[in-house]
Amino acid sequence: MPRHKEETGRVCAGMTIDSNTFCDRIWRGARLATMATPPIDDGVVACLDGRIVYAGDSALAPALDAAEIFQCDGRWITPGLIDCHTHLIHAGNRAGEFAQRLAGASYEETARAGGGIVSTMNATRAASEDALIACALARLDALIGEGVTTIEVKSGYGLSLDHETKMLRAARRMGVERNVTVRTSFLGAHALPPEFAGNADGYIDEVCNLMIPAIAAGGLADAVDGFCEIVGFSPAQIERVFAAAKAHGLPVKLHAEQLSNSNGAALAARFGALSADHLEHLDAAGVTAMKAAGTVAVLLPGAYYFTRETKTPPIAALRAAGIPMAVATDCNPGTSPLTSILLAMNMAATLFRMTVDECLAGVTCNAATALGLQNETGTIEVGKSCDLAIWDVDELAELVYRIGANPLHSRVRMGRE
Ligand SMILES: [Zn+2]
């Protein structure tokens, strides 16, 4: 990409661009939802080496030139979308189990027939790293096709060191196979593998003493997650996992208060968690603890919908406390086989009564904070990665309002389509 030309120095929004340097790309004539300022009617975004060097009103922009200039014809530009909670890497699916239950089978009957999380664990253990990537890429491509530029991916179906690291390597490799930022979370404390039946504490020993040290040493995880629930792990067990994560310099997050109130969010907040996720049964004490710790509330309406849950998360209390709320797909084969971030936004609005602005912040700036990436992406601001989604809509509310539509015009990550 040629970027050199004889001319005088110029300044882009406080960042001096070398006198011989062009921007790489400029988008003009856009309506901008920067998520850091009020919307801008006639906006410009300029990119150099993958970073935003100007974003704002075209009337206030410095003289800008670039190798490539895109005319946006009044289209809306938002930050590239962020799906901050997924279980994208897994083998198999649970469609058969879904069909059996609709035909009247009980959970016990489907479990006896080999269903449930153990069936996904078996399929994932049996799959090679390449096979895991191949089936996850189809799901990833669906999200990318809706403007997603950053995605979080959890382990948690391997449940042994070898298979958990295989999942995490597969997740990292998706960021090489596609133009997308991948953040990984180690979710060893997701379910009890059959070989540890009746010995959950023994399995947590293995998570803390074997898996976390190896995964941290290998640089395979950006965070450590857990499932704190009566059918998952107890607060005391999760506390041990978090202590091990902290000892290895890894931030934590938690599946908390999904089916009951175990005070998981408050436990996560005590460890300075990036996020507490689900939260249908969160109480006032949990809200207070999350607020004090700056923990993001990640809301997962796809799981709420698919499991036909009736208790909604305490949105009004989270809103009143000023806790940042994110929205994600929770894409997983058991409780949220959802690969549409736009539908997750619609569900957050219709099922949880979140506003359009809250839904948009939920998949941009607040999702970035839930991943610790708030200085890197999630808003259109100078210095951040040039991650953009360009939309064929007249108003932003259409992104939340429509069901099954995909008005994405184009998508840019680190300045590249
Ligand atoms: Zn989850």
Side-chain angles (χ1 to χ4, degrees):
M1 182 68 58
R3 285 195 282 106
H4 299 286
K5 185 184 171 186
E6 295 293 322
E7 60 186 318
T8 55
R10 50 174 64 148
V11 176
C12 275
M15 179 181 280
T16 304
I17 295 181
D18 180 85
S19 61
N20 292 322
T21 309
F22 271 126
C23 301
D24 292 326
R25 293 184 183 84
I26 297 173
W27 291 265
R28 290 190 183 284
R31 286 181 280 179
L32 292 184
T34 68
M35 304 309 293
T37 63
I40 295 164
D41 278 340
D42 181 12
V44 178
V45 181
C47 170
L48 177 64
D49 291 333
R51 298 272 148 190
I52 296 168
V53 291
Y54 180 80
D57 200 310
S58 69
L60 305 175
L64 290 166
D65 203 356
E68 288 183 272
I69 298 176
F70 301 93
Q71 296 297 339
C72 294
D73 300 327
R75 290 187 179 90
W76 276 100
I77 300 183
T78 65
L81 305 189
I82 300 170
D83 193 350
C84 69
H85 181 140
T86 86
H87 306 253
L88 209 73
I89 294 279
H90 60 263
N93 66 62
R94 306 248 283 274
E97 188 183 318
F98 178 67
Q100 285 165 25
R101 280 215 305 280
L102 287 170
S106 68
Y107 280 92
E108 290 70 29
E109 286 165 334
T110 55
R112 271 204 306 277
I117 197 165
V118 170
S119 73
T120 300
M121 182 203 77
N122 287 333
T124 301
R125 285 182 173 183
S128 68
E129 190 177 315
D130 285 345
L132 285 179
I133 290 171
C135 53
L137 282 179
R139 296 185 277 270
L140 177 60
D141 286 342
L143 292 166
I144 285 174
E146 290 188 342
V148 169
T149 52
T150 299
I151 182 169
E152 185 261 12
V153 183
K154 303 177 193 299
S155 67
Y157 294 116
L159 308 179
S160 71
L161 177 61
D162 286 353
H163 293 294
E164 288 287 299
T165 54
K166 176 180 68 176
M167 287 186 72
L168 292 167
R169 283 194 306 272
R172 285 258 195 260
R173 272 181 55 198
M174 288 201 300
V176 178
E177 299 279 338
R178 294 292 187 270
N179 182 23
V180 68
T181 300
V182 174
R183 299 293 277 185
T184 57
S185 301
F186 168 58
L187 180 57
H190 189 199
L192 191 62
E195 55 270 27
F196 280 91
N199 183 18
D201 281 316
Y203 177 64
I204 292 297
D205 286 341
E206 187 124 328
V207 167
C208 296
N209 302 331
L210 177 70
M211 298 192 207
I212 288 176
I215 285 161
L220 286 171
D222 302 306
V224 170
D225 198 345
F227 184 32
C228 187
E229 195 56 69
I230 294 160
V231 297
F233 294 96
S234 70
Q237 289 161 342
I238 293 296
E239 186 162 0
R240 291 170 57 206
V241 172
F242 282 178
K246 196 168 183 181
H248 288 85
L250 288 169
V252 301
K253 42 182 53 233
L254 188 64
H255 291 66
E257 274 75 275
Q258 181 183 8
L259 308 172
S260 62
N261 182 9
S262 304
N263 301 309
L267 167 63
R270 271 213 310 286
F271 283 83
L274 291 170
S275 70
D277 303 34
H278 286 292
L279 302 176
E280 276 79 351
H281 294 263
L282 181 69
D283 64 11
V287 170
T288 302
M290 287 177 65
K291 174 64 179 173
T295 299
V296 176
V298 177
L299 304 165
L300 304 167
Y304 172 94
Y305 163 83
F306 194 78
T307 61
R308 305 177 75 234
E309 175 61 65
T310 53
K311 182 160 174 47
T312 53
I315 300 295
L318 292 166
R319 186 184 284 144
I323 292 174
M325 294 185 279
V327 173
T329 62
D330 193 18
C331 175
N332 80 74
T335 59
S336 187
L338 173 61
T339 50
S340 170
I341 191 80
L342 294 173
L343 182 52
M345 291 163 76
N346 175 270
M347 287 177 171
T350 53
L351 300 174
F352 295 169
R353 310 310 292 166
M354 289 172 69
T355 67
V356 164
D357 287 348
E358 286 169 345
C359 292
L360 286 169
V363 297
T364 56
C365 49
N366 291 345
T369 306
L371 299 178
L373 292 176
Q374 63 274 20
N375 296 323
E376 180 64 21
T377 189
T379 62
I380 303 175
E381 288 183 280
V382 169
K384 288 196 177 179
S385 179
C386 187
D387 299 344
L388 310 173
I390 304 172
W391 303 98
D392 275 319
V393 293
D394 290 326
E395 48 187 315
L396 285 174
E398 289 178 59
L399 299 181
V400 179
Y401 155 79
R402 296 194 185 282
I403 301 172
N406 182 4
L408 187 75
H409 174 270
S410 51
R411 165 195 177 276
V412 175
R413 180 212 168 231
M414 294 182 77
R416 292 195 296 117
E417 288 202 11

